[in-house]
Amino acid sequence: MHAELEAFVDAARSRKEPRTNGAAGRAALELASRVMASIQEHAARVNVLGDRKTADVLGDRKAAGLDAFATHDKTK
């Protein structure tokens, strides 16, 4: 995290393009959101958690704030 902040400050001060831009960050968050959704769907399908809710164990995507970065799936 410290290195990320240093890189941000350096990019702001030098006005150079950052090594990782906002589009790449957004794409990474979208991918993480899709991975979590897939894990949750699989766990629910195979009932690996028994009576416990999948979201309780794996984390609620809304609570994590990941739904704000979701985009429409054009493959459906």
Side-chain angles (χ1 to χ4, degrees), residues 8 11 16-31 69 71:
F8 172 78
K16 293 180 184 174
E17 180 76 22
R19 287 175 37 176
T20 303
N21 61 24
R26 184 179 174 103
L29 285 172
E30 181 180 349
L31 176 60
F69 297 99
T71 60

Side-chain angles (χ1 to χ4, degrees), residues 5-19:
L5 294 174
E6 284 182 352
F8 172 78
V9 170
D10 182 53
R13 286 183 178 157
S14 66
R15 300 202 186 273
K16 293 180 184 174
E17 180 76 22
R19 287 175 37 176

Side-chain angles (χ1 to χ4, degrees), residues 21-55:
N21 61 24
R26 184 179 174 103
L29 285 172
E30 181 180 349
L31 176 60
S33 178
R34 287 181 178 195
V35 167
M36 281 303 301
S38 179
I39 291 169
Q40 289 172 337
E41 289 168 15
H42 175 73
R45 198 170 38 247
V46 297
N47 196 24
V48 295
L49 303 174
D51 292 337
R52 295 173 65 190
K53 287 185 176 180
T54 304

